[in-house]
């Protein structure tokens, strides 16, 4: 039986062995959810940047550029970090450059893995099906929030551990704990998350529709995969 | 209402504000449980050392010295890291020097806090009563295992968050998650922990009696507090 484990922060990822594993990077609010929405609506490839100005420069290379600071779309950028914004038209054939902090860091710190996937609830089942077909151990790398544990990424980790229990053994402490957490709270994720000060912060930014989208299961059949530092649908 | 939050590893503690707070350091298997057992059986004060030889030198100053490496009492040491060993006689008036890795690190990294307590299940209620009387926010600092999240420290965190819900608001993600985890698994801690590879490792060291002790609630009325780098009962 393959194994599954959970890392709660990019600041702890050096304590985990990545080689030979599939790492699923997850930043539910909202980077990885936005990536999946973008890919589902035609975006061909996504490059991620922690630096705003590096991202801006991609515009000259024909990329759509997306980024927010303090909850507002950056001036001169085509889009913010809202997944829902990508649902409004067809972006077929276009390339996207996104600036995110937690998500970009988690992806770059996963580079020693055999494969890197992008995790989100709207394509959870597709990701599960893909992972079950591979013969590799899985590590869920939660982007967290400024290096700290966060609830939404952890609930996703729990959902994935639970869904893979027939193929991937969860005897690692983080995986066991998140499976229990999802078993207890997974049926009422939005109500549960609303107790958190972090979620309250997000609600103040008026992104209720984004939150609903980010917590919706199985809208898409695609899997998001990082290859050569670009995220693509497979 | 006061606040309560949870930090899962000494490697993440720099992300938390400690000033003005009471930090409860917890290393259930077995450092903090052993400290509480030692204090309950007469030990007057405990000094902790990450370095084995520094600990050994305390013998010349009249300290009892306690330490294990690879599950065995260190040669020349009076005791190992077993809490149960302290229950066998009265150590009144004696001073103890202990060498631990995770626990010592968590204590030293908590030094910016207003107060530092030592958390363990055998004195959970006494610690709760003490915390309820203070007018300070609480941070639970899990020692973890080699920097990683661990289940037993997290369950203790959940028990403390749950017990303080009438006086301390848990809107921080770690506190919320651990409260849910304890609500789901707290009634069967030993069976739940036995699923973890870490717990299996401990069982191989033949410390079943220690595990039972470490998971037993409310044997003692004392609170363990760090003052001037020594742990004492208050």
């Amino acid at each position: 039986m393959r194994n599954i484990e959970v890392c709660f922060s990019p600041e702890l990822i050096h304590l985990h062995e990545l080689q030979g594993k599939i790492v699923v990077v997850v930043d539910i609010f909202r980077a990885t959810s936005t990536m999946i929405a973008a890919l589902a609506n035609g975006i061909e490839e996504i490059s991620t940047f922690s630096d705003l100005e590096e991202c801006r420069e991609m515009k000259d290379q024909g990329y759509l550029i997306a980024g927010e600071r303090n909850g507002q779309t950056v001036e001169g950028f085509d889009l913010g970090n809202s997944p829902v914004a990508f649902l409004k038209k067809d972006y077929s054939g276009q390339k996207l450059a996104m600036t995110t902090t937690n998500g970009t860091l988690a992806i770059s710190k996963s580079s020693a893995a055999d494969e890197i996937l992008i995790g989100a609830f709207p394509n959870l089942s597709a990701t599960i099906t893909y992972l079950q077909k591979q013969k590799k151990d899985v590590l869920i790398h939660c982007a967290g929030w400024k290096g700290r544990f966060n609830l939404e990424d952890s609930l996703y980790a729990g959902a994935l551990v639970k869904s893979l229990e027939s193929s991937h053994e969860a005897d690692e402490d983080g995986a066991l704990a998140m499976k229990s957490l999802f078993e207890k709270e997974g049926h009422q994720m939005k109500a549960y998350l609303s107790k958190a000060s972090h979620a309250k912060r997000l609600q103040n930014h008026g992104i209720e529709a984004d939150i609903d989208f980010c917590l919706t299961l199985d809208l898409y059949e695609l899997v998001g995969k990082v290859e050569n530092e670009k995220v693509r649908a497979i």
Side-chain angles (χ1 to χ4, degrees), chain A:
Chain A
M1 196 139 153
R2 290 153 280 173
N3 263 279
I4 188 161
E5 66 194 294
V6 179
C7 173
F8 293 109
S9 162
E11 299 218 13
L12 299 177
I13 195 69
H14 62 285
L15 303 169
H16 293 259
E17 178 65 47
L18 302 186
Q19 241 176 344
K21 292 178 187 165
I22 303 178
V23 169
V24 182
V25 171
V26 52
D27 185 2
I28 295 298
F29 295 151
R30 297 169 285 164
T32 57
S33 305
T34 300
M35 290 177 199
I36 297 304
L39 295 174
N41 285 275
I43 291 287
E44 196 172 275
E45 63 172 50
I46 305 169
S47 300
T48 61
F49 298 87
S50 52
D51 186 76
L52 185 73
E53 295 310 319
E54 277 183 46
C55 185
R56 192 193 299 274
E57 286 169 15
M58 299 301 284
K59 181 124 179 134
D60 295 338
Q61 296 181 40
Y63 280 67
L64 279 171
I65 57 174
E68 281 184 9
R69 287 299 183 265
N70 305 316
Q72 303 290 323
T73 299
V74 179
E75 213 187 310
F77 275 49
D78 304 300
L79 292 142
N81 288 342
S82 165
V84 170
F86 284 93
L87 311 182
K88 293 178 185 161
K89 61 181 239 196
D90 181 8
Y91 290 94
S92 288
Q94 297 197 66
K95 294 176 179 177
L96 178 69
M98 263 181 86
T99 171
T100 75
T101 46
N102 303 315
T104 301
L105 184 65
I107 292 171
S108 67
K109 284 194 163 188
S110 301
S111 58
D114 254 31
E115 298 181 41
I116 304 172
L117 304 185
I118 296 300
F121 284 111
N123 73 335
L124 178 65
S125 288
T127 301
I128 290 162
T129 303
Y130 179 84
L131 291 171
Q132 283 171 331
K133 285 182 188 157
Q134 316 306 312
K135 303 269 173 262
K136 292 174 186 166
D137 292 339
V138 172
L139 186 150
I140 304 159
H141 185 173
C142 299
W145 185 71
K146 297 186 177 177
R148 284 168 66 161
F149 174 96
N150 92 24
L151 215 43
E152 60 276 12
D153 297 349
S154 305
L155 279 170
Y156 176 88
L160 203 57
V161 172
K162 177 82 183 156
S163 302
L164 289 171
E165 63 187 347
S166 65
S167 55
H168 292 70
E169 192 181 13
D171 65 357
E172 184 257 354
D173 285 21
L176 277 169
M178 293 308 102
K179 185 178 148 202
S180 292
L181 181 67
F182 184 78
E183 284 168 353
K184 179 153 195 300
E185 311 292 356
H187 65 287
Q188 50 147 1
M189 284 198 290
K190 195 179 174 190
Y192 181 58
L193 288 169
S194 71
K195 296 176 187 175
S197 54
H198 177 51
K200 283 175 200 149
R201 234 178 352 258
L202 285 174
Q203 281 158 16
N204 292 340
H205 288 165
I207 57 161
E208 192 77 14
D210 277 351
I211 292 177
D212 286 342
F213 174 85
C214 293
L215 300 179
T216 303
L217 286 165
D218 300 333
L219 297 167
Y220 310 123
E221 290 297 320
L222 67 92
V223 172
K225 188 168 176 179
V226 183
E227 285 180 310
N228 302 320
E229 300 181 11
K230 317 265 192 211
V231 185
R232 289 191 180 83
I234 57 169

